[in-house]
Structures are given as structure tokens and as C-alpha cells.
């Protein structure tokens, strides 16, 4: 014995809420695609995906809870074809003007949301293409440093040799590019007689400059042990010996920190004479 499916009356404005949810989903998917296409920013990509899936879930939940017919429960039995009159009633319920699948705009906006999510999902595939995999390598080998570029502090103040006292690490940047992701470096004054390996980029009376990015995963190397001349990475505990040309002596890093060749200009300021001696940052980009 069965009952005719009952179509619950839709509350006022339910259509608008569902359409709005699907439009929000489409906007989130579009935002993800745009953010990724402009270079990517992990936090914003995550927010956009969360908005896209949340909008889709909310819209489908409202649709199923408020518009889909309820009732029509039957006792368990062996399968058989529904009677013609029941088929006719079901067809009428699904094709009627107030049918949940014929309401104006619902299917269109659902299709828009699903299409936008599908298109957005294709964007990360670009990272698998050969020319896109080469982009990080180009970024690592084309930094803002070069001949004549002055060393400045984070607030843009030009640096003199006297601004780097013995045993102190000073963060430096290329002038005009203090926000550059591959430009940060540090200057430190060491005792030349303690060098066990001559700095590959040279030094000015013990003053050396190296990239601040760890060669394992690109984390900033911040912890300096003055007595041993070692610099520690807080992310994965790599250790670099500054007396041995910043060679790694512990941890997963396999490459030394790239050095920056420097000189003192006629005004007494420190300037680079070239780029880093090797690509800075994570070493896995150089693997084939």
C-alpha cells in the first residue's frame, strides 16, 4: 500500500536562497581559478575553495529539504514495475510547474556552480606541464641582485660595513626590492683566521653575505650560534657552518647557502657585484 508523494509547499524565498547559494559557489570557484592563475596564494585559494563547496552544499541541502517531495513510503516487497497510474502521478509531480526540478533558475545556477568548480579544478593541472615546472627554477636563477645593487635593511636604509658589528647577523635586501621573495640575505662579520673554507663569493675583512633561504625547503634561516659560527634552520633543523662557506653540517639540507659577492662603493656603502653564487632556496627545484 502506497501513498501519493506529497509536495510540501515551498517557504517564501526558498528559490532565491538556493540560487544565491549556487551563485556564491560559482563565485568561490571563479576566485580560486583567478587566484591560481595570478600566481597563487595558498590561504586565499583555500578560502575560495571553502566558499565554493560550502555554497554548493548549502544550496543542495535547502533544495533537498524544502522542495523534494516527501512521503510515498511502501512496505518492502519484491521488485515490480509501478502501476501505470503511479507512473503517471510521478511524471506529473516532476513535470508540474511547481516541480522541484522545474523551478526557475535552480537547475541553471546549479549547472553554473558545478561548471565553475569543474573548470577551477582544471587549473592546478597546469602545474604538471613542463613549462610550468620550470617557472620556479627561473625564479630562483633570476633574483633582484646584480652588479651595483646596494644592500639595504628592511626599512630601506643603505648599509655600510660598520653597520655589521662582529658576531651579529644583519638582514639585508636588494635596494628597491625589499619584498622580493628570492632576495632576502644576511650579512655577518666573521674572523677570517677561523675560515676553514674560503667564501666562494669572497669577503671584506671577514664580512660575508649569504642567502637567508634554507636550501632544503626554503625556510628562513634565522638562528645564529655566534661561538660556533653556525646558522640553524628552525623548520627542519639543518645547520650551516659559516666558517666553511655555509656548508650544511647537519639536517636534511644538501647544498650550502649561496653567497653574494659584495664591494664598498665610493660613498662607503655595500653593493653587490653580481647575483648569488647559486640559486637560493629549496634545492629540489634543480632536480631533473
Amino acid at each position: 500500500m502506497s501513498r501519493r508523494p506529497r509536495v510540501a509547499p515551498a517557504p517564501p524565498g526558498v528559490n532565491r536562497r538556493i540560487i544565491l547559494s549556487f551563485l556564491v559557489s560559482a563565485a568561490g570557484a571563479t576566485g580560486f581559478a583567478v587566484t591560481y592563475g595570478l600566481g597563487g596564494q595558498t590561504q586565499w585559494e583555500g578560502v575560495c575553495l571553502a566558499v565554493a563547496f560550502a555554497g554548493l552544499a548549502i544550496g543542495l541541502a535547502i533544495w533537498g529539504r524544502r522542495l523534494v517531495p516527501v512521503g510515498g513510503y511502501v512496505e518492502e516487497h519484491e521488485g515490480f514495475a509501478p502501476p501505470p497510474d503511479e507512473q503517471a502521478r510521478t511524471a506529473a509531480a516532476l513535470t508540474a510547474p511547481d516541480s522541484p526540478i522545474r523551478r526557475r533558475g535552480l537547475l541553471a545556477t546549479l549547472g553554473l556552480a558545478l561548471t565553475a568548480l569543474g573548470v577551477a579544478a582544471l587549473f592546478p593541472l597546469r602545474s604538471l606541464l613542463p613549462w610550468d615546472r620550470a617557472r620556479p627554477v627561473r625564479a630562483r636563477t633570476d633574483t633582484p641582485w646584480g652588479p651595483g645593487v646596494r644592500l639595504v635593511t628592511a626599512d630601506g636604509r643603505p648599509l655600510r660595513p660598520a653597520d655589521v658589528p662582529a658576531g651579529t647577523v644583519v638582514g639585508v635586501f636588494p635596494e628597491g626590492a625589499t619584498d622580493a621573495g628570492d632576495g632576502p640575505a644576511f650579512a655577518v662579520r666573521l674572523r677570517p683566521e677561523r675560515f676553514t673554507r674560503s667564501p666562494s663569493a669572497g669577503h671584506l675583512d671577514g664580512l660575508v653575505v649569504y642567502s637567508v633561504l634554507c636550501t632544503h625547503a626554503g625556510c628562513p634561516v634565522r638562528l645564529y650560534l655566534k661561538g660556533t659560527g653556525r646558522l640553524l634552520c628552525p623548520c627542519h633543523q639543518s645547520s650551516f657552518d659559516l666558517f666553511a662557506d655555509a656548508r650544511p653540517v647537519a639536517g636534511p639540507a644538501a647544498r650550502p647557502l649561496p653567497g653574494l659577492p659584495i664591494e664598498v662603493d665610493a660613498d662607503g656603502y655595500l653593493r653587490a657585484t653580481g647575483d648569488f653564487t647559486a640559486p637560493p632556496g629549496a634545492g629540489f627545484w634543480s632536480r631533473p
Side-chain angles (χ1 to χ4, degrees), residues 13-35:
V14 67
N15 271 28
R16 290 193 298 273
R17 293 200 296 272
I18 298 174
I19 290 174
L20 178 61
S21 298
F22 290 155
L23 290 177
V24 169
S25 176
T30 303
F32 169 83
V34 171
T35 303

Side-chain angles (χ1 to χ4, degrees), residues 32-279:
F32 169 83
V34 171
T35 303
Y36 184 89
L38 293 178
Q41 211 282 343
T42 306
Q43 289 82 356
W44 283 113
E45 289 174 354
V47 169
C48 290
L49 281 181
V51 170
F53 284 113
L56 186 63
I58 292 173
L60 290 175
I62 297 175
W63 194 344
R65 189 175 181 83
R66 299 296 185 182
L67 299 182
V68 174
V70 297
Y73 305 106
V74 297
E75 185 178 328
E76 293 185 3
H77 53 72
E78 295 183 0
F80 56 85
D85 62 331
E86 187 173 325
Q87 296 184 41
R89 289 197 302 271
T90 301
L94 295 177
T95 58
D98 60 347
S99 168
I101 65 173
R102 290 176 61 89
R103 290 178 179 269
R104 181 181 303 175
L106 297 189
L107 287 179
T109 51
L110 173 61
L112 175 63
L114 293 176
T115 301
L117 277 171
V119 172
L122 297 177
F123 275 69
L125 295 178
R126 188 186 66 175
S127 299
L128 303 178
L129 300 176
W131 55 80
D132 201 73
R133 289 202 302 270
R135 182 172 57 181
V137 178
R138 291 194 301 270
R140 293 292 187 263
T141 56
D142 185 20
T143 73
W145 293 105
V149 177
R150 285 202 300 187
L151 282 65
V152 300
T153 59
D155 57 4
R157 180 176 58 85
L159 206 67
R160 298 177 183 270
D163 296 329
V164 186
T168 302
V169 170
V170 178
V172 297
F173 297 84
E175 187 174 30
T178 54
D179 295 328
D182 298 315
F186 67 90
V188 61
R189 188 180 297 280
L190 305 170
R191 293 170 57 185
E193 63 272 17
R194 295 191 62 182
F195 286 146
T196 58
R197 185 190 296 265
S198 181
S200 57
H203 67 94
L204 298 177
D205 192 25
L207 179 62
V208 291
V209 179
Y210 289 100
S211 168
V212 79
L213 301 180
C214 179
T215 54
H216 169 236
C219 297
V221 182
R222 300 289 190 187
L223 306 178
Y224 178 53
L225 302 181
K226 178 180 177 181
T228 61
R230 293 189 178 183
L231 207 64
L232 305 181
C233 176
C235 292
H236 306 100
Q237 289 72 56
S238 292
S239 178
F240 301 89
D241 187 354
L242 298 183
F243 291 123
D245 196 22
R247 290 288 192 274
V249 293
R255 293 190 303 124
L257 297 175
L260 184 72
I262 57 173
E263 65 179 2
V264 179
D265 63 16
D267 297 323
Y269 293 108
L270 292 170
R271 292 183 182 268
T273 61
D275 205 340
F276 287 117
T277 55

